[in-house]
Amino acid sequence: MYTYNNKNQITVFTAKDPETQLPILRYFVTDPWGNKFIMKSTNYANNTTESITAAFKAAVLPRGWRKSMGYLPRDLCVSPIYGGDNIATYQEIRDSADSAYSQFVWGKEGWGVEQKIGYPMPM
């Protein structure tokens, strides 16, 4: 369900389509501890808003996790965090082999999924 990516990169989620200037529908997942994730990728075959929405709605998440859809008020930049040995990482979760999400809000406790569930994480 989660992984860390050792990549020192910033991911930008634009609020509006650059060509049409229409708002882009975004997909969010919130865990029971208040951490919030935004969908960053999905299966190549999901290439329309309708197919992405259908895949998102069909996703099965653990008990206590919530899905929501909405629009960003402005562009969102997700930057890596720095963990042990000063390695740049960001937390990513997947709802399946198809869709991945980047964490952009930490819950009030500051705990990540791996800290709450422990290691090894049951699958």
Side-chain angles (χ1 to χ4, degrees):
M1 184 77 184
Y2 80 92
T3 184
Y4 273 101
N5 287 326
N6 293 326
K7 296 180 180 176
N8 189 7
Q9 66 186 27
I10 296 173
T11 304
V12 178
F13 298 90
T14 53
K16 295 181 180 180
D17 181 297
E19 292 181 19
T20 66
Q21 290 303 302
L22 294 173
I24 298 171
L25 183 60
R26 297 294 181 178
Y27 306 86
F28 305 96
V29 173
T30 305
D31 70 21
W33 309 286
N35 300 306
K36 195 166 185 175
F37 305 82
I38 184 170
M39 182 187 281
K40 67 178 239 172
S41 63
T42 190
N43 185 301
Y44 183 76
N46 297 331
N47 56 12
T48 65
T49 300
E50 294 77 19
S51 61
I52 295 169
T53 300
F56 178 72
K57 287 182 176 182
V60 177
L61 300 173
R63 180 176 293 137
W65 291 61
R66 297 183 321 269
K67 295 185 274 186
S68 62
M69 297 182 294
Y71 299 93
L72 295 172
R74 62 189 165 282
D75 292 352
L76 171 67
C77 295
V78 177
S79 299
I81 58 171
Y82 289 85
D85 297 326
N86 205 31
I87 296 174
T89 63
Y90 60 88
Q91 187 161 339
E92 178 181 284
I93 62 166
R94 295 179 105 27
D95 65 27
S96 66
D98 290 338
S99 299
Y101 304 79
S102 291
Q103 184 173 356
F104 72 101
V105 171
W106 287 84
K108 291 179 183 177
E109 296 177 9
W111 291 98
V113 175
E114 74 289 348
Q115 293 162 312
K116 282 298 199 179
I117 295 176
Y119 183 85
M121 191 171 149
M123 298 308 231

